[in-house]
Amino acid sequence: MELKEIMKEAGIVGAGGAGFPSYAKLADGADTLVVNGAECEPLLYTDYVLLQKEMPMVLFGINVVLEYAKIPRALLCIKEHTAKRLRLQDGTKLADRIILKTLPDVYPMGDEISLIYQATERVVKPGNLPITAGVIVYNVETLYNVAAAIKKGEKLVMKWVTVAGNIPEPIVVKVPIGTPVSALFERNSITIPEDHVVLDGGPSMGKVIDPESAVITKTTKGLLILPTNIEAIQSKFLDGAKSIARAETACCQCTRCTDMCPRALLGYPLEPHKMVRTAKSAVTVMPEMVLTATLCCGCGICESLACCQGISPKAVINEYKALLAKNKMRYVAREDVEVAPEREYRMVPSERWASILGVAKFDKLPKYVGVQEYDSAEIYLRQHIGAPSVAMVQDGDVVQKGDEIAKAAEGLSLPQHASISGKVTVFDGVKIVIDKVSE
């Protein structure tokens, strides 16, 4: 069986991003595999612990991809502080054709476009895929999952997760996909203080979730318990429509949001200050500019660091992104772009970014608590970009861990597998719940 089919049948998706099916990234023409271990968001240590505990498996997964796609080299990219903790140096040969690449401790170095440039000095043309620059990018955990599928025949049913924030001791734990967040917290004696929320993801790009109903998904990298009065959380409750309404009058036209934009510094035609100035009329006045909203990586630097007027260019851009997505429109460039010479001096140090977000005091190395099993799991049929999976089981069926319980739909899609053994309940088109059967 070809690697693409193995990855698809195992249900492997990008472990830390939007959930793009990993098999679909394998394409001819790449000369570099960039392995993303940057973990650029504060408080997250999942990839660090994975590399610390399972480096041989990660290297095996990298080698499998290199062999299949006939890629000459791989760059395992981690930040300087991670390299120091792992006692590795830039340029270290980790295996045949696999080299360690250290990245500066800046934010957002985990952004795919920034990462590719930092590792290879290549700029992916705006709106294009990395393969057009001869690069394929996979997350560290994704390649661990590839290794598990090849060496052990395992399906993607387990997830490595950081639990951190305002708790006595952060942890990294490996749990079944679909594990209820509330059960995970209870098992590890984690309580949510008053006036705190829980994020699925990092403090910058993570989403606020309801810990009583949320579950671990294939893209969950971390769960953070954070107070509501810090910048990281306040920014998540901004009203996009209100931001547009006040943007034009409140903007002092300083251009700092564009000057500090990581994508703009790479030469992308993304100009948040112009979108803010013409917020209400941009669609009719400069429709081409609105298209560039799809180039935004959502890092939040324009919102939390650059703007001195309390405006959120990010919120304005998100409104345009939603409009473009609804109309299935995006920006695609045909010409090369030129990196700004001042980029190196405008990158945001990771420690400073953590302080700006108000999370620096919660940044501690986690304890690895190992594998934990649970008595129930909720497997959502949409855990990836593309068409949702199609349920193959019926109410009352008994399944074993690793069994396929939902098949891939037509087109870009993936199957889902039972992460625990038990009896299923099907919520048509939404999820499959598995409850452990008492013996």
mmCIF file of all heavy atoms in Angstrom, residues 407-424:
data_model
loop_
_atom_site.group_PDB
_atom_site.id
_atom_site.type_symbol
_atom_site.label_atom_id
_atom_site.label_comp_id
_atom_site.label_asym_id
_atom_site.label_seq_id
_atom_site.Cartn_x
_atom_site.Cartn_y
_atom_site.Cartn_z
ATOM 1 N N LYS A 407 -16.287 6.476 7.477
ATOM 2 C CA LYS A 407 -15.449 6.434 6.278
ATOM 3 C C LYS A 407 -15.254 7.830 5.706
ATOM 4 O O LYS A 407 -16.023 8.761 6.007
ATOM 5 C CB LYS A 407 -16.071 5.529 5.223
ATOM 6 C CG LYS A 407 -17.426 6.002 4.710
ATOM 7 C CD LYS A 407 -18.018 5.018 3.713
ATOM 8 C CE LYS A 407 -19.380 5.500 3.225
ATOM 9 N NZ LYS A 407 -19.993 4.545 2.264
ATOM 10 N N ALA A 408 -14.224 7.956 4.884
ATOM 11 C CA ALA A 408 -13.989 9.230 4.214
ATOM 12 C C ALA A 408 -15.077 9.475 3.182
ATOM 13 O O ALA A 408 -15.546 8.548 2.505
ATOM 14 C CB ALA A 408 -12.619 9.210 3.538
ATOM 15 N N ALA A 409 -15.493 10.721 3.067
ATOM 16 C CA ALA A 409 -16.476 11.088 2.049
ATOM 17 C C ALA A 409 -15.766 11.248 0.702
ATOM 18 O O ALA A 409 -14.549 11.103 0.604
ATOM 19 C CB ALA A 409 -17.172 12.380 2.452
ATOM 20 N N GLU A 410 -16.518 11.543 -0.322
ATOM 21 C CA GLU A 410 -15.918 11.794 -1.633
ATOM 22 C C GLU A 410 -15.080 13.067 -1.585
ATOM 23 O O GLU A 410 -15.384 14.006 -0.854
ATOM 24 C CB GLU A 410 -17.013 11.932 -2.692
ATOM 25 C CG GLU A 410 -17.777 10.645 -2.976
ATOM 26 C CD GLU A 410 -16.913 9.561 -3.577
ATOM 27 O OE1 GLU A 410 -16.020 9.895 -4.402
ATOM 28 O OE2 GLU A 410 -17.078 8.388 -3.207
ATOM 29 N N GLY A 411 -14.026 13.103 -2.384
ATOM 30 C CA GLY A 411 -13.174 14.294 -2.432
ATOM 31 C C GLY A 411 -12.202 14.330 -1.265
ATOM 32 O O GLY A 411 -11.772 13.298 -0.744
ATOM 33 N N LEU A 412 -11.850 15.537 -0.838
ATOM 34 C CA LEU A 412 -10.902 15.713 0.263
ATOM 35 C C LEU A 412 -11.595 15.361 1.579
ATOM 36 O O LEU A 412 -12.479 16.083 2.040
ATOM 37 C CB LEU A 412 -10.406 17.161 0.292
ATOM 38 C CG LEU A 412 -9.285 17.495 1.267
ATOM 39 C CD1 LEU A 412 -7.986 16.782 0.868
ATOM 40 C CD2 LEU A 412 -9.061 18.996 1.343
ATOM 41 N N SER A 413 -11.188 14.260 2.181
ATOM 42 C CA SER A 413 -11.854 13.813 3.406
ATOM 43 C C SER A 413 -11.002 12.757 4.086
ATOM 44 O O SER A 413 -9.997 12.292 3.536
ATOM 45 C CB SER A 413 -13.247 13.256 3.093
ATOM 46 O OG SER A 413 -13.969 12.983 4.285
ATOM 47 N N LEU A 414 -11.399 12.363 5.287
ATOM 48 C CA LEU A 414 -10.681 11.353 6.068
ATOM 49 C C LEU A 414 -11.660 10.477 6.841
ATOM 50 O O LEU A 414 -12.773 10.919 7.167
ATOM 51 C CB LEU A 414 -9.740 12.020 7.072
ATOM 52 C CG LEU A 414 -8.457 12.659 6.545
ATOM 53 C CD1 LEU A 414 -7.783 13.442 7.654
ATOM 54 C CD2 LEU A 414 -7.508 11.608 5.994
ATOM 55 N N PRO A 415 -11.262 9.244 7.169
ATOM 56 C CA PRO A 415 -12.084 8.408 8.043
ATOM 57 C C PRO A 415 -11.849 8.765 9.511
ATOM 58 O O PRO A 415 -10.923 9.496 9.836
ATOM 59 C CB PRO A 415 -11.575 6.993 7.739
ATOM 60 C CG PRO A 415 -10.134 7.204 7.390
ATOM 61 C CD PRO A 415 -10.074 8.534 6.678
ATOM 62 N N GLN A 416 -12.699 8.222 10.384
ATOM 63 C CA GLN A 416 -12.527 8.361 11.828
ATOM 64 C C GLN A 416 -12.483 6.975 12.443
ATOM 65 O O GLN A 416 -13.097 6.037 11.922
ATOM 66 C CB GLN A 416 -13.674 9.168 12.451
ATOM 67 C CG GLN A 416 -13.919 10.526 11.822
ATOM 68 C CD GLN A 416 -12.776 11.496 12.014
ATOM 69 O OE1 GLN A 416 -11.964 11.342 12.928
ATOM 70 N NE2 GLN A 416 -12.692 12.504 11.154
ATOM 71 N N HIS A 417 -11.762 6.849 13.561
ATOM 72 C CA HIS A 417 -11.589 5.561 14.209
ATOM 73 C C HIS A 417 -11.946 5.644 15.688
ATOM 74 O O HIS A 417 -11.855 6.711 16.305
ATOM 75 C CB HIS A 417 -10.143 5.083 14.047
ATOM 76 C CG HIS A 417 -9.699 4.972 12.629
ATOM 77 N ND1 HIS A 417 -9.209 6.043 11.911
ATOM 78 C CD2 HIS A 417 -9.708 3.913 11.776
ATOM 79 C CE1 HIS A 417 -8.916 5.648 10.674
ATOM 80 N NE2 HIS A 417 -9.203 4.365 10.575
ATOM 81 N N ALA A 418 -12.338 4.501 16.229
ATOM 82 C CA ALA A 418 -12.665 4.430 17.656
ATOM 83 C C ALA A 418 -11.390 4.622 18.474
ATOM 84 O O ALA A 418 -10.402 3.927 18.267
ATOM 85 C CB ALA A 418 -13.299 3.088 17.975
ATOM 86 N N SER A 419 -11.423 5.564 19.394
ATOM 87 C CA SER A 419 -10.239 5.822 20.227
ATOM 88 C C SER A 419 -10.269 5.025 21.524
ATOM 89 O O SER A 419 -9.264 4.952 22.236
ATOM 90 C CB SER A 419 -10.122 7.320 20.533
ATOM 91 O OG SER A 419 -11.279 7.785 21.195
ATOM 92 N N ILE A 420 -11.449 4.438 21.832
ATOM 93 C CA ILE A 420 -11.574 3.517 22.962
ATOM 94 C C ILE A 420 -12.502 2.384 22.522
ATOM 95 O O ILE A 420 -13.175 2.490 21.492
ATOM 96 C CB ILE A 420 -12.153 4.205 24.230
ATOM 97 C CG1 ILE A 420 -13.588 4.683 23.977
ATOM 98 C CG2 ILE A 420 -11.288 5.365 24.671
ATOM 99 C CD1 ILE A 420 -14.302 5.162 25.251
ATOM 100 N N SER A 421 -12.545 1.318 23.269
ATOM 101 C CA SER A 421 -13.470 0.219 22.997
ATOM 102 C C SER A 421 -14.764 0.463 23.762
ATOM 103 O O SER A 421 -14.738 0.930 24.909
ATOM 104 C CB SER A 421 -12.856 -1.118 23.416
ATOM 105 O OG SER A 421 -11.663 -1.372 22.717
ATOM 106 N N GLY A 422 -15.897 0.135 23.134
ATOM 107 C CA GLY A 422 -17.173 0.322 23.819
ATOM 108 C C GLY A 422 -18.364 0.304 22.886
ATOM 109 O O GLY A 422 -18.263 -0.097 21.722
ATOM 110 N N LYS A 423 -19.496 0.752 23.404
ATOM 111 C CA LYS A 423 -20.761 0.773 22.652
ATOM 112 C C LYS A 423 -21.003 2.180 22.112
ATOM 113 O O LYS A 423 -20.752 3.166 22.817
ATOM 114 C CB LYS A 423 -21.916 0.363 23.558
ATOM 115 C CG LYS A 423 -23.269 0.241 22.852
ATOM 116 C CD LYS A 423 -24.355 -0.204 23.809
ATOM 117 C CE LYS A 423 -24.152 -1.645 24.221
ATOM 118 N NZ LYS A 423 -25.306 -2.136 25.038
ATOM 119 N N VAL A 424 -21.484 2.269 20.866
ATOM 120 C CA VAL A 424 -21.612 3.576 20.221
ATOM 121 C C VAL A 424 -23.047 4.094 20.205
ATOM 122 O O VAL A 424 -24.015 3.334 20.215
ATOM 123 C CB VAL A 424 -21.081 3.545 18.769
ATOM 124 C CG1 VAL A 424 -19.672 3.008 18.715
ATOM 125 C CG2 VAL A 424 -21.992 2.740 17.850
#
